[in-house]
Amino acid sequence: MNEEKIEYEYYTVDFDGVNSRYTMYDKIKNGLDFPDYFGCNLDAIWDCLTDMVYHGVTITLDNFDKMEKYDEKMALKLLKLFKDSKYYYDDRYINTYKIYVVRNGEKTELI
């Protein structure tokens, strides 16, 4: 049996200190190593995320409770966007593209 070894890439977006949309987008851009031409909007996040959907990507959204406290509606949009990106390729990478959300120190997988 020939099993492929997966090399994981780990990314963390730390929402600690989010106090504006600018800081939110900056934390996302830097945490996910998005390119310099990244536009600060949800469509740009989607475009960059769906470029990342392949074997071996783990994203942690740290201190997400602080994002929810800052802007609950935007936090819900972000969660939906990240969740939808997991299914972008028809569940093909569902087991190797993982997203975790950390709230108040508790880590759960976004499914």
Side-chain angles (χ1 to χ4, degrees), residues 66-105:
K66 296 186 179 182
M67 179 60 215
E68 291 169 320
K69 191 173 188 178
Y70 165 67
D71 188 338
E72 188 176 1
K73 287 182 183 180
M74 178 57 83
L76 288 172
K77 289 178 185 179
L78 286 174
L79 285 179
K80 180 174 179 1
L81 191 137
F82 276 92
K83 183 177 181 177
D84 289 351
S85 73
K86 287 183 60 132
Y87 300 96
Y88 182 68
Y89 283 112
D90 302 321
D91 300 341
R92 208 174 321 171
Y93 299 119
I94 196 71
N95 293 319
T96 58
Y97 178 72
K98 299 193 179 288
I99 301 169
Y100 295 95
V101 180
V102 180
R103 293 180 180 99
N104 299 312

Side-chain angles (χ1 to χ4, degrees), residues 10-103:
Y10 295 91
Y11 300 91
T12 299
V13 178
D14 188 350
F15 288 98
D16 188 30
V18 167
N19 58 9
S20 70
R21 290 277 172 97
Y22 174 80
T23 58
M24 177 198 76
Y25 284 117
D26 192 53
K27 287 177 178 285
I28 291 169
K29 177 187 181 289
N30 291 326
L32 297 175
D33 199 26
F34 285 169
D36 289 338
Y37 59 83
F38 167 73
C40 293
N41 59 61
L42 294 175
D43 288 335
I45 295 172
W46 175 259
D47 290 343
C48 290
L49 273 180
T50 55
D51 285 345
M52 295 173 73
V53 179
Y54 53 85
H55 288 294
V57 174
T58 298
I59 298 170
T60 301
L61 305 176
D62 201 12
N63 292 303
F64 200 73
D65 52 304
K66 296 186 179 182
M67 179 60 215
E68 291 169 320
K69 191 173 188 178
Y70 165 67
D71 188 338
E72 188 176 1
K73 287 182 183 180
M74 178 57 83
L76 288 172
K77 289 178 185 179
L78 286 174
L79 285 179
K80 180 174 179 1
L81 191 137
F82 276 92
K83 183 177 181 177
D84 289 351
S85 73
K86 287 183 60 132
Y87 300 96
Y88 182 68
Y89 283 112
D90 302 321
D91 300 341
R92 208 174 321 171
Y93 299 119
I94 196 71
N95 293 319
T96 58
Y97 178 72
K98 299 193 179 288
I99 301 169
Y100 295 95
V101 180
V102 180
R103 293 180 180 99

